[in-house]
Amino acid sequence: MSASNGRRPPLTAERRYGASKGARKDGGAPKAKARATPAAKPRRGAARAPRPAPRGPLGFAAAMVRGLMRFVLRVVWGVGWRVAMVLALVIGLGVAYYAAQLPAVTDLVDGRARGSVTLLDRDGATFAWRGDQFGGMVTADTISPHLRNAVVATEDRRFWWHPGVDPQGVASAIRINLSEGRGPLSGNGGSTITQQTAKLLCLGKPFDPEVWKNETEYEADCRRTTLWRKVQEAVYAMAMEARYTKEEILTIYLNRAYLGAGTRGFEAASQRYFGKPAGQVNPAEAAMLAGLLKAPTTYAPTNNLARSQDRARVIVGLMEQQGYLSAPEAQDARANPATLSATAQQDQGGYFADWVMDTGPEFFTRDTTEDVVIRTTLDPRIQTAAETALLRVFEERVSPGSEAQAAIVVMSADGAVRAMVGGRNVTASGAFNRATQALRQTGSAFKPFIYAAALDLGMQPFDLVDDSPLTMNIPGSGPWSPENYDRRYDGMVTLTEALAESRNIPAVKISEQAGRENVRTVASMFGIDSDLAAGPALALGVSESTLLEMTGAYAGILNGGSSVTPYGLVELRLKGDDTPLMGTGGGIGERVITRDAAEKLTWMMSRVVAEGTGGRAQIDGWEVAGKTGTTQGARDAWFVGFAGDYVAGVWMGYDDNRPLSGVTGGGLPATIWRETMVRVLEGQPVKPLPMRVPEPAPADTIAGAASQDVSPSRGQASDPETDRLLREMLGAPQGTAPAPTQAPAQRDREGLILDVLTNILGGAGN
């Protein structure tokens, strides 16, 4: 049965399961089978059907972990971006604050808290520097391009485009430090040039003497490496990038960096090491200067040139890698490494420079805040002669393990010091100076002042004195019996022979006869300022003095009997100022003894070298005068003498006052003296010494017989027995008292001698 419209109603099965694939919905015959089409691919990004939830406890735990992580990430993101915004705001405020505080570039290039001292020799050439040297402002444009490139290649290859902080460099430094077992902030710092400049500026805090004890402590505080300090430096560096150009930042860095040997800035370093401006250095020199930034003292070429050249080769390699040098230029720099200038190579006069600094006004030397230039008396040729002589003698004649020391002073007759060596380390600076600081007993080197007093009082070089055993009763001490060095006694000798052979007994007798106070006065006026012994042992050189004092005192004999004050400073002025602030502080002073006495004494001292204990000091073709000295126990050995226009002194001994082994003043000290003076006098016209050969005296003339200046007897009467004993002690002719027919002058002379000797035995002057 069909529906009224003629269509077959759907069957129940069709309604439940749908019409068969081939049946038409309208009940007509099925159509032909259509060609199958592939299913469409799902669109990218289209939602995928959710996977069925995993079953079991593991699946549940995994779902919990994923959920927790999603929650943490949402919290971190929600908090992190807010914290980042706050940090960015804080950093921005810090950058703005520091940037507002930064002064002009020209106010930052010279940050020294103290000034410098440049020392010039007698010819005006620089030989030493003290304090912090600043050679003047340079800029990134005025220095050599090689130097600018070397600094950037070495310290901060990305300097020209980072914002003050280089995250890549910091990360690399931390990785290297950790890989080498150090802390993340120890060793490589990854700091940019801008950050290093911030450190040099100490974050804008200037040196304050009320906060820091000294500049060293201040700089140590500025160099502290802590996390908070690094953060501050980073902020300050970004402020500098905001305030200055890259060229200006590099300019500050180039002027403030410490580069060893007391130099601040590349201009001072270039002048110090190469003797040329920083704008003229070549690639090899630029590499050496840039290499100093890592460790200025270690790599300073004045300390170790080879090590500095090795470091420079590394810098040349970096410059080549980064395109600043071509391969041929780099090869040339390696093949021809930088060397020191002639002035820097000399490295001499350190002891002399220290002495000048100590003797000059403190506010213009040791504690100067100004840049000072001091012209001195130093003669580099003579300084080299002294250093070479000392080193040669110790190398050839002293055992290698010996700890003995020596010192040398050479000066002109007016006290101008021409050379000074304060120890075996001739290049030392800031070391103990044995020429000026060591107080040592003078021994027989003191004897010329005894004879100077005696000659000034009228005694003569050929007067006789008895070299025989002597015992003196010293009040408060008891008997005192001096001895000659060789424990031998020669009887009657002339004053000249006694000095030439350095006899102790005659020296004591002459000192007592001339008067100890007179001897003390003469020695003091000649410049021996140390405390002089009050007793008769004064004549044996038990008093202490420095080599500088002794050499200056001998200079007074050479110049004809006038005192001198040794000096090294000729002129002091501020750098850039032609007007001196002070001049020479020494020179010839008042007369001490007569010229006649000085010239006779010089002749007597020439006999010391020609015939006596100073024979090793002889120089062919030159007149030489001097005196040896060896103290008790051979703890000190001296030779001081003069030839031509110069007087030189040599001391030798141990710092701990141990006895020398087999050394006397006539030995190694005289040898060192000769080696020095041979070099000093080389090429100089021969000049005779200002000495007067005395006329021979009668064979029986007793020392002091012609003197009218000895101490009076103070009315003390003498008796015949005392007169006899005194005559016997001095070796005077024995016999009865002078006959009335004797000449008055002869009677007065003999009576005066007896009066003086009576005073001596009675303890006068003790």
Side-chain angles (χ1 to χ4, degrees):
M1 187 160 65
S2 62
S4 58
N5 57 7
R7 292 181 181 178
R8 182 177 63 83
L11 299 176
T12 300
E14 290 175 350
R15 291 197 303 268
R16 179 177 298 170
Y17 303 110
S20 62
K21 295 180 180 180
R24 294 181 54 175
K25 292 182 179 180
D26 59 1
K31 295 183 178 180
K33 187 175 181 180
R35 187 173 57 183
T37 59
K41 295 182 180 180
R43 290 179 300 171
R44 184 174 298 176
R48 295 181 179 180
R51 294 181 180 179
R55 299 177 181 179
L58 293 178
F60 179 77
M64 289 292 292
V65 170
R66 284 197 299 272
L68 181 61
M69 290 179 62
R70 284 195 295 271
F71 174 76
V72 171
L73 289 174
R74 282 197 297 270
V75 171
V76 170
W77 171 251
V79 175
W81 71 268
R82 292 176 175 84
V83 172
M85 288 188 62
V86 172
L87 287 176
L89 180 61
V90 171
I91 291 174
L93 291 174
V95 169
Y97 171 78
Y98 280 133
Q101 302 288 324
L102 289 170
V105 171
T106 54
D107 295 335
L108 298 176
V109 294
D110 185 4
R112 298 172 300 160
R114 59 176 184 150
S116 65
V117 179
T118 301
L119 295 110
L120 312 179
D121 62 27
R122 66 181 301 184
D123 299 322
T126 300
F127 74 91
W129 297 262
R130 292 295 183 271
D132 292 338
Q133 298 290 320
F134 181 68
M137 178 178 173
V138 294
T139 69
D141 296 327
T142 59
I143 64 168
S144 165
H146 299 302
L147 181 55
R148 181 178 61 248
N149 295 336
V151 171
V152 173
T154 305
E155 296 298 309
D156 188 2
R157 62 188 302 175
R158 288 176 286 275
F159 169 72
W160 296 109
W161 55 83
H162 64 61
V165 179
D166 184 8
Q168 181 178 345
V170 173
S172 176
I174 292 176
R175 177 182 57 80
I176 293 173
N177 292 335
L178 293 176
S179 66
E180 295 180 358
R182 299 189 296 262
L185 300 179
S186 301
N188 290 279
S191 296
T192 64
I193 286 178
T194 314
Q195 287 176 280
Q196 293 181 49
T197 305
K199 187 188 293 288
L200 290 173
L201 295 174
C202 204
L203 304 181
K205 292 185 296 185
F207 173 72
D208 186 351
E210 296 183 359
V211 177
W212 292 280
K213 294 180 180 179
N214 49 54
E215 193 175 4
T216 301
E217 185 179 294
Y218 163 73
E219 292 182 348
D221 180 74
C222 294
R223 289 193 297 266
R224 284 188 300 115
T225 302
T226 62
L227 181 59
W228 175 238
R229 189 78 175 192
K230 285 288 186 182
V231 171
Q232 289 179 294
E233 289 175 4
V235 174
Y236 197 89
M238 288 186 285
M240 293 181 64
E241 294 279 351
R243 175 71 171 80
Y244 305 128
T245 66
K246 288 287 188 180
E247 287 76 9
E248 289 175 331
I249 293 171
L250 187 57
T251 292
I252 299 172
Y253 184 69
L254 293 172
N255 285 280
R256 290 190 72 116
Y258 178 69
L259 297 167
T263 59
R264 298 280 180 174
F266 281 87
E267 178 65 17
S270 181
Q271 294 283 1
R272 173 70 176 88
Y273 299 129
F274 308 130
K276 63 173 64 173
Q280 298 179 7
V281 297
N282 59 37
E285 293 165 341
M288 181 174 287
L289 290 174
L292 298 172
L293 292 166
K294 181 177 182 180
T297 301
T298 301
Y299 291 114
T302 49
N303 289 342
N304 190 318
L305 180 59
R307 183 165 54 200
S308 184
Q309 290 174 336
D310 289 341
R311 172 67 178 162
R313 276 189 281 270
V314 175
I315 308 306
V316 169
L318 293 175
M319 295 174 70
E320 182 181 11
Q321 292 172 12
Q322 298 176 36
Y324 292 120
L325 289 178
S326 64
E329 289 175 328
Q331 181 58 33
D332 181 70
R334 294 188 188 97
N336 301 283
T339 57
L340 291 169
S341 67
T343 300
Q345 285 178 352
Q346 289 177 356
D347 193 20
Q348 63 177 194
Y351 291 106
F352 178 90
D354 291 341
W355 170 62
V356 171
M357 291 288 289
D358 289 338
T359 55
E362 186 173 351
F363 53 87
F364 276 137
T365 54
R366 300 178 296 284
D367 294 331
T368 181
T369 57
E370 304 289 342
D371 289 325
V372 175
V373 177
I374 297 178
R375 188 160 60 88
T376 72
T377 60
L378 183 77
D379 188 319
R381 182 185 67 85
I382 297 177
Q383 179 68 31
T384 300
E387 293 175 358
T388 303
L390 188 146
L391 293 176
R392 178 176 178 179
V393 171
F394 268 86
E395 180 181 356
E396 296 180 353
R397 307 198 181 191
V398 178
S399 58
S402 173
E403 296 179 351
Q405 285 287 347
I408 304 173
V409 171
V410 182
M411 68 174 64
S412 301
D414 64 349
V417 177
R418 302 303 182 188
M420 179 181 291
V421 182
R424 291 173 62 178
N425 182 4
V426 298
T427 62
S429 175
F432 179 69
N433 191 339
R434 295 161 188 84
T436 63
Q437 295 175 294
L439 280 169
R440 308 295 296 228
Q441 288 190 350
T442 58
S444 294
F446 183 81
K447 289 175 181 175
F449 308 112
I450 300 171
Y451 291 92
L455 293 173
D456 198 52
L457 290 172
M459 299 185 195
Q460 299 300 316
F462 289 120
D463 284 358
L464 298 175
V465 61
D466 188 11
D467 178 22
S468 59
L470 171 67
T471 298
M472 298 180 65
N473 186 29
I474 310 300
S477 299
W480 177 65
S481 301
E483 295 180 333
N484 288 328
Y485 179 79
D486 57 6
R487 292 181 174 80
R488 182 173 59 84
Y489 304 94
D490 293 340
M492 299 302 294
V493 296
T494 65
L495 270 61
T496 301
E497 293 170 336
L499 180 62
E501 297 298 329
S502 198
R503 315 304 290 174
N504 287 338
I505 300 302
V508 173
K509 292 179 178 179
I510 295 299
S511 175
E512 293 299 300
Q513 187 169 348
R516 284 179 228 153
E517 285 306 314
N518 290 332
V519 173
R520 286 163 55 90
T521 298
V522 167
S524 178
M525 291 181 67
F526 269 129
I528 301 179
D529 295 329
S530 307
D531 290 337
L532 296 171
L538 169 72
L540 303 185
V542 297
S543 303
E544 295 179 334
S545 184
T546 66
L547 178 61
L548 181 65
E549 285 181 351
M550 289 291 289
T551 309
Y554 275 56
I557 300 172
L558 175 61
N559 69 31
S562 295
S563 66
V564 301
T565 299
Y567 68 98
L569 189 153
V570 175
E571 179 184 282
L572 184 150
R573 58 181 173 83
L574 296 181
K575 191 173 183 179
D577 192 348
D578 295 332
T579 304
L581 296 179
M582 63 177 296
T584 301
I588 296 180
E590 61 183 324
R591 177 163 294 282
V592 180
I593 60 175
T594 64
R595 179 171 293 277
D596 179 75
E599 292 178 352
K600 290 178 179 177
L601 178 59
T602 300
W603 179 82
M604 292 173 63
M605 294 171 67
S606 73
R607 300 300 89 196
V608 174
V609 176
E611 303 167 356
T613 58
R616 292 191 182 184
Q618 294 181 19
I619 301 175
D620 291 342
W622 288 85
E623 294 178 347
V624 177
K627 184 67 186 77
T628 59
T630 308
T631 62
Q632 187 175 8
R635 288 176 170 82
D636 303 275
W638 303 72
F639 187 87
V640 188
F642 31 83
D645 292 323
Y646 300 102
V647 54
V650 177
W651 167 87
M652 187 173 178
Y654 286 100
D655 288 339
D656 59 6
N657 214 30
R658 279 180 288 161
L660 292 163
S661 178
V663 177
T664 64
L668 288 177
T671 302
I672 295 173
W673 188 93
R674 181 186 182 280
E675 292 293 330
T676 299
M677 293 302 292
V678 164
R679 292 168 172 80
V680 169
L681 299 173
E682 185 178 5
Q684 303 295 308
V686 175
K687 182 177 181 180
L689 289 175
M691 59 186 183
R692 180 176 303 179
V693 180
E695 296 180 0
D700 60 348
T701 301
I702 307 301
S707 173
Q708 301 298 315
D709 246 328
V710 293
S711 302
S713 65
R714 300 180 183 175
Q716 295 179 2
S718 62
D719 59 271
E721 182 61 17
T722 301
D723 293 348
R724 186 188 66 78
L725 291 174
L726 294 177
R727 290 173 182 275
E728 182 179 356
M729 182 180 74
L730 289 182
Q734 298 294 320
T736 59
T741 56
Q742 285 180 299
Q746 178 69 17
R747 292 197 302 271
D748 291 344
R749 184 181 304 115
E750 185 170 344
L752 185 59
I753 294 173
L754 294 176
D755 284 346
V756 170
L757 294 178
T758 300
N759 287 339
I760 294 174
L761 290 187
N766 287 338

